Amino acid sequence: MPLPNTNSDIWQTKAGGGCASLFGLPFFLAGIGVIVATFIPADVRGGDEMPLYFGIPFGGIFALVGGAILFVGMNLTLDRATGAALKQWTVFSKPIYSKSRSLKEFDRIVVRSEIRRSKNSSYTVYPVRLLGDGVDAFEISQSREKSKARTESEEIAKFLNLPIHDESSGSLRIRESDALDLSVKEKFATGKETNEIPDPPATLKSSIDYDGTRLNVAIPPLGLNAGFVIAFLAISVFEIFFISVFALPFLEDVDSDSFALPIFAVFGLMFLGIPTLILLALVGNTFLARQSVSVSADAISVTRGWPFKKSVTIPSDAVEELFIGSETSYPGLASPSGSEEVKPY
């Protein structure tokens, strides 16, 4: 989190401590407890003997992980006066290691969307980095919330007067630091944005209606695509396999009054019902879900969904970006600091 600072030439942020300490405390106490219990005779504490070769390593791992969360932190300082970007790792708030880079090395701030994978899961992070040609990137943060990454990148961009190369939505958008707080209307008025209208596509599937005050665009469903075909085939093969290999043989052999039938019904609901619901949702989103955009001098509204529709409205004076993501040809809208972003379904 950024730290308050009366020095206008210094921007600081700190990681570790605070609420994170509450997460590390149980690990630390559990690890210490296991280590202490290892040295207490079994007849005193009760239970079985705990060998040293088990208790110390097992408890040590928990204590080490919990201690790292509790006592280790990282401070980041950007100093315009000295022209330095400094990272300091601390233990008990005392610096133990520092890494410094010159701010002159960097000419842009980059925000990206990256997938982190572990053995059992995956998740998306939005790293914010300082970057320059021919030099290693200097990482500012790795947030799991796009809005936080966008807000932090804008703060640093205005502080260092550097442009933002935003790739968090799948395509590159370059945003100059002196235009970050301007709405689209203000950008047009100041000449920072032009109203060059691209040629329409050869086949226009959307229907457009303009009555002089309001523009309405009705966007049809996505239609058949490779992602839908792959998902449809995967779920269908799974259900066919379950029915032919498990369900039919079981129903042929089981008695009609067997207690196993209710248990099988529960498993059948899980292995057939849930995938079928997912399949129906895919069919609906691919062939039935529509999106409409309504634009006036006062506001921009996007309505989408199936079977229940959801609308998001942003005042026209608050719209900072109108962009096309690489994952689809549908537009996206972003309001100040990324607090509201309307993405295609």
Side-chain angles (χ1 to χ4, degrees):
M1 59 177 290
L3 302 177
N5 198 303
T6 57
N7 189 336
S8 60
D9 286 327
I10 292 179
W11 188 91
Q12 287 183 307
T13 186
K14 179 180 180 181
C19 294
S21 299
L22 299 178
F23 179 75
L25 185 60
F27 286 90
F28 181 74
L29 294 178
I32 295 298
V34 171
I35 294 174
V36 171
T38 304
F39 293 94
I40 300 177
D43 56 351
V44 175
R45 59 176 168 81
D48 299 327
E49 288 285 349
M50 188 179 299
L52 292 177
Y53 63 81
F54 171 79
I56 293 179
F58 184 79
I61 292 174
F62 276 81
L64 186 63
V65 172
I69 298 174
L70 272 172
F71 308 121
V72 177
M74 191 276 290
N75 299 329
L76 170 65
T77 302
L78 305 179
D79 192 335
R80 290 187 303 200
T82 61
L86 176 66
K87 277 185 179 180
Q88 284 186 324
W89 284 265
T90 63
V91 175
F92 297 108
S93 301
K94 302 295 183 182
I96 58 171
Y97 177 72
S98 299
K99 181 179 180 182
S100 180
R101 299 279 296 276
S102 172
L103 292 175
K104 293 181 180 180
E105 299 179 35
F106 312 114
D107 59 12
R108 60 191 180 275
I109 298 161
V110 178
V111 184
R112 291 189 176 125
S113 170
E114 298 179 0
I115 297 176
R116 299 284 188 267
R117 290 184 173 87
S118 62
K119 184 178 180 180
N120 299 317
S121 64
S122 63
Y123 56 93
T124 302
V125 297
Y126 300 93
V128 178
R129 301 183 177 104
L130 295 175
L131 193 62
D133 295 331
V135 299
D136 293 334
F138 185 83
E139 189 164 285
I140 300 294
S141 65
Q142 287 196 26
S143 176
R144 295 179 68 170
E145 297 181 31
K146 181 189 289 190
S147 60
K148 285 186 177 180
R150 284 173 56 90
T151 300
E152 188 170 55
S153 67
E154 290 188 9
E155 290 178 0
I156 299 171
K158 288 182 282 189
F159 179 75
L160 297 178
N161 194 26
L162 294 177
I164 298 174
H165 288 218
D166 191 342
E167 302 175 38
S168 61
S169 296
S171 58
L172 175 63
R173 288 134 59 198
I174 299 177
R175 306 164 63 208
E176 298 296 335
S177 60
D178 59 351
L180 292 174
D181 293 330
L182 299 179
S183 68
V184 172
K185 283 184 175 181
E186 292 170 324
K187 290 176 184 177
F188 281 132
T190 58
K192 295 183 179 296
E193 193 78 58
T194 61
N195 60 347
E196 297 176 5
I197 301 175
D199 295 330
T203 302
L204 183 62
K205 296 183 178 180
S206 301
S207 61
I208 302 174
D209 177 62
Y210 179 60
D211 60 7
T213 59
R214 181 178 294 275
L215 175 71
N216 296 299
V217 181
I219 305 172
L222 293 173
L224 191 64
N225 57 80
F228 170 79
V229 172
I230 293 172
F232 183 88
L233 291 177
I235 295 175
S236 299
V237 169
F238 173 82
E239 292 194 337
I240 292 172
F241 177 81
F242 178 80
I243 292 172
S244 60
V245 176
F246 295 102
L248 292 180
F250 175 83
L251 294 175
E252 288 176 357
D253 297 337
V254 71
D255 295 331
S256 59
D257 58 348
S258 173
F259 73 92
L261 279 176
I263 298 176
F264 177 79
V266 173
F267 280 95
L269 182 63
M270 291 174 56
F271 288 98
L272 292 179
I274 295 176
T276 299
L277 291 176
I278 295 174
L279 199 59
L280 291 175
L282 285 172
V283 171
N285 285 333
T286 303
F287 298 105
L288 300 176
R290 296 177 178 274
Q291 180 167 262
S292 62
V293 181
S294 178
V295 185
S296 70
D298 299 321
I300 298 179
S301 297
V302 177
T303 303
R304 61 189 179 188
W306 173 91
F308 306 106
K309 293 185 178 182
K310 177 183 177 182
S311 295
V312 176
T313 300
I314 302 178
S316 297
D317 291 337
V319 176
E320 291 184 351
E321 295 178 81
L322 176 62
F323 62 91
I324 298 176
S326 61
E327 68 274 8
T328 175
S329 61
Y330 292 164
L333 307 173
S335 63
S337 301
S339 58
E340 184 82 64
E341 184 163 345
V342 181
K343 297 186 296 183
Y345 49 78

